[in-house]
Amino acid sequence: MLIHTIAEVREQIKLWKKEGLTIGLVPTMGALHAGHLSLIKKAVEKCDKVVVSVFVNPIQFCPGEDLDKYPRTLEADQKLCEDAGVNIVFAPSPAEMYGENQMRTNDFLTYVIPPFFYVNKLCGKSRVGHFDGVCTVVNKLFNIVQPDFAFFGQKDAQQLIIIKKMVKDLNIPVEIIPCPIVRESSGLALSSRNKYLSDDDKIQALALSKILNNIKNCYQKGITDVEALKETAYSFLNENHDLEYLEFMDENNLDEVKKANDNTRVFIACKVGGVRLIDNILLKD
Ligand code: AMP
């Protein structure tokens, strides 16, 4: 069932709650691929009813980012969801979510602001305000759908850690279910933004997963010095890569790590053909 309004979702949720059914939420920006589908499958397995939100959230895009050209494929998304057993595809307009005059401004909108310690690093450094937009929309979706479980991909590991922190700090009654990264057989992590890559870009983009896998191999051979592990990346990079960051952080609290251990997650962001790609890997097997 495709629903565009908050009121209609609320009505349906009320009925399900009355029946004592468990509800799962999978928040997405659409252009669904096998990565999203893995979250959806998990949700369908675990919950009585599943809501997938499809919303390109304007307030999480920074000026100059790809808000206008972000792929929008609602019809195909709806079909994929129906085939996967999703009960509601919730696809609101920006005006439905934020009102006519409140888009992309915090002058009139109540925001949920995650802690500075979690956002002044990795993607938050270059995408200023991005996680404010993410936390605000996810909090709104939690209030609209009131899910028992919400499913998020490790692909966006910083986002996942920040959402968990928001849920804990604000006592939101939802359990966050992390889901592993889905990759092409080449190793490239699936992303809606991969649609922007040319065939050649896609080959160059393999550097991200290669760098991460190589670092994990080196760690498992006994190298723990982060500077030494970082050095190993350069042999995979060439003039087609614009490396934004390669960072080693504690998996649980995003503390910077100097000596790698099993709880270390390695994060990479790199532009290829002008497209900003991210990936990450946990060093533990
Ligand atoms: P997005 O539509 O990009 O906002 O992503 C919606 C959800 O799908 C987020 O929780 C992402 O982390 C997750 N996701 C996106 N790509 C992947 C992937 N390749 N593997 C696993 N989860 C993913």
Side-chain angles (χ1 to χ4, degrees):
M1 191 183 349
L2 177 64
I3 296 184
H4 294 290
T5 68
I6 294 166
E8 280 172 280
V9 174
R10 282 244 163 90
E11 240 169 72
Q12 189 57 60
I13 298 291
K14 230 190 236 170
L15 295 177
W16 288 342
K17 293 263 174 200
K18 234 188 200 164
E19 290 180 53
L21 302 173
T22 58
I23 298 170
L25 171 68
V26 183
T28 82
M29 297 207 298
L32 300 183
H33 51 65
H36 298 110
L37 269 186
S38 71
L39 275 59
I40 291 170
K41 277 192 190 135
K42 224 179 191 172
V44 169
E45 268 167 32
K46 196 172 173 66
C47 307
D48 297 321
K49 299 290 178 186
V50 171
V51 179
V52 172
S53 59
V54 174
F55 180 58
V56 182
N57 176 32
I59 70 165
Q60 73 184 65
F61 286 76
C62 302
E65 288 189 348
D66 56 345
L67 173 61
D68 294 331
K69 73 166 190 171
Y70 196 85
R72 288 161 170 88
T73 60
L74 184 57
E75 225 172 278
D77 294 347
Q78 190 190 348
K79 171 92 176 60
L80 275 175
C81 285
E82 272 167 14
D83 291 349
V86 170
N87 303 93
I88 292 180
V89 175
F90 175 45
S93 65
E96 176 71 8
M97 287 297 270
Y98 298 118
E100 289 298 345
N101 299 313
Q102 300 192 352
M103 282 176 263
R104 301 168 83 175
T105 166
N106 59 6
D107 289 347
F108 297 100
L109 185 69
T110 304
Y111 266 70
V112 178
I113 313 284
F116 189 62
F117 181 81
Y118 288 71
V119 299
N120 76 337
K121 53 188 67 172
L122 305 173
C123 292
K125 235 182 184 170
S126 64
R127 305 189 75 190
V128 175
H130 167 69
F131 289 112
D132 302 351
V134 169
C135 284
T136 302
V137 79
V138 170
N139 200 45
K140 282 167 72 74
L141 290 168
F142 285 168
N143 286 329
I144 294 164
V145 177
Q146 298 168 48
D148 300 280
F149 303 97
F151 299 78
F152 291 87
Q154 290 284 12
K155 165 78 179 12
D156 301 280
Q158 185 179 16
Q159 168 176 284
L160 177 55
I161 291 166
I162 288 173
I163 299 278
K164 278 193 195 157
K165 175 78 175 145
M166 173 182 80
V167 163
K168 181 165 175 268
D169 288 351
L170 300 184
N171 308 100
I172 303 175
V174 64
E175 187 179 330
I176 302 301
I177 311 289
C179 304
I181 301 175
V182 177
R183 300 175 179 281
E184 288 187 358
S185 54
S186 64
L188 180 66
L190 295 186
S191 162
S192 305
R193 290 190 168 96
N194 290 356
K195 289 190 175 153
Y196 303 147
L197 297 171
S198 69
D199 287 347
D200 188 48
D201 292 340
K202 269 192 142 185
I203 293 167
Q204 300 296 340
L206 295 182
L208 280 81
S209 55
K210 283 184 182 162
I211 287 171
L212 295 176
N213 282 322
N214 184 55
I215 286 175
K216 185 165 178 161
N217 282 340
C218 292
Y219 168 73
Q220 289 180 340
K221 281 183 192 143
I223 305 175
T224 56
D225 180 67
V226 163
E227 285 314 311
L229 288 168
K230 276 188 186 177
E231 284 292 318
T232 67
Y234 292 103
S235 61
F236 296 93
L237 296 170
N238 60 43
E239 67 283 0
N240 297 296
H241 301 110
D242 182 5
L243 182 68
E244 183 181 311
Y245 62 71
L246 175 64
E247 302 280 3
F248 290 61
M249 304 274 175
D250 185 286
E251 146 85 341
N252 299 307
N253 55 17
L254 289 183
D255 262 341
E256 206 178 319
V257 168
K258 297 252 181 290
K259 272 221 164 312
N261 62 60
D262 277 3
N263 290 326
T264 302
R265 193 173 280 278
V266 186
F267 296 77
I268 189 167
C270 183
K271 272 193 182 157
V272 176
V275 182
R276 187 175 178 280
L277 301 172
I278 57 170
D279 201 347
N280 66 84
I281 202 166
L282 184 66
L283 292 183
K284 188 165 77 178
D285 240 343

